[in-house]
């Protein structure tokens, strides 16, 4: 006798895992929703190229905080913490990193 439409005994477990993983994805998306560059922002690669042309190399870390790129980079052998406007690529603040 051929059974049509039967589910594996593991189907409820698989469905639970699928729902849990999907929910985690939504949480991660919502948590990062305010961490997107503003509309009209330059491509990050262009911002980093602009910084490298100003002598900031190597660039070791980049993150987006409060609407500005926070960049850790070296210039003339010294490490700097930069805050960079994502629309213009302009360095808004710069301080030596004492670490």
């Amino acid at each position: 006798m051929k059974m049509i439409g039967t589910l594996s005994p593991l189907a409820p477990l698989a469905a639970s895992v699928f729902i849990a993983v999907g929910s985690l994805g939504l949480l991660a998306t919502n948590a990062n929703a305010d961490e997107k560059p503003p509309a009209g922002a330059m491509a990050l690669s262009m911002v980093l190229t602009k910084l490298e042309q100003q002598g900031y190399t190597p660039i070791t870390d980049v993150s987006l905080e409060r609407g500005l790129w926070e960049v850790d980079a070296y210039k003339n052998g010294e490490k700097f913490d930069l805050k960079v406007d994502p629309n213009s690529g302009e360095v808004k603040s710069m301080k030596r990193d004492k670490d």
Side-chain angles (χ1 to χ4, degrees):
M1 179 167 129
K2 187 174 185 181
M3 299 182 82
I4 299 175
T6 60
L7 294 176
S8 162
L10 297 177
L13 176 61
S16 296
V17 169
F18 181 77
I19 291 169
V21 169
S23 296
L24 288 174
L26 287 175
L27 289 174
T29 301
N30 291 338
N32 294 331
D34 61 352
E35 295 299 321
K36 291 166 78 174
M42 295 172 62
L44 178 57
S45 59
M46 290 179 67
V47 172
L48 298 180
T49 297
K50 191 171 182 177
L51 291 173
E52 288 173 337
Q53 290 171 344
Q54 295 172 36
Y56 293 103
T57 185
I59 294 171
T60 59
D61 190 41
V62 179
S63 62
L64 189 65
E65 297 288 331
R66 297 184 182 114
L68 294 174
W69 289 117
E70 290 192 358
V71 179
D72 293 343
Y74 289 83
K75 185 172 185 177
N76 299 325
E78 294 185 76
K79 186 174 180 184
F80 290 90
D81 294 327
L82 309 171
K83 294 193 190 271
V84 182
D85 184 303
N87 291 319
S88 66
E90 177 186 351
V91 176
K92 293 295 192 177
S93 72
M94 170 186 54
K95 70 176 188 173
R96 283 192 179 92
D97 189 334
K98 305 208 190 229
D99 291 338

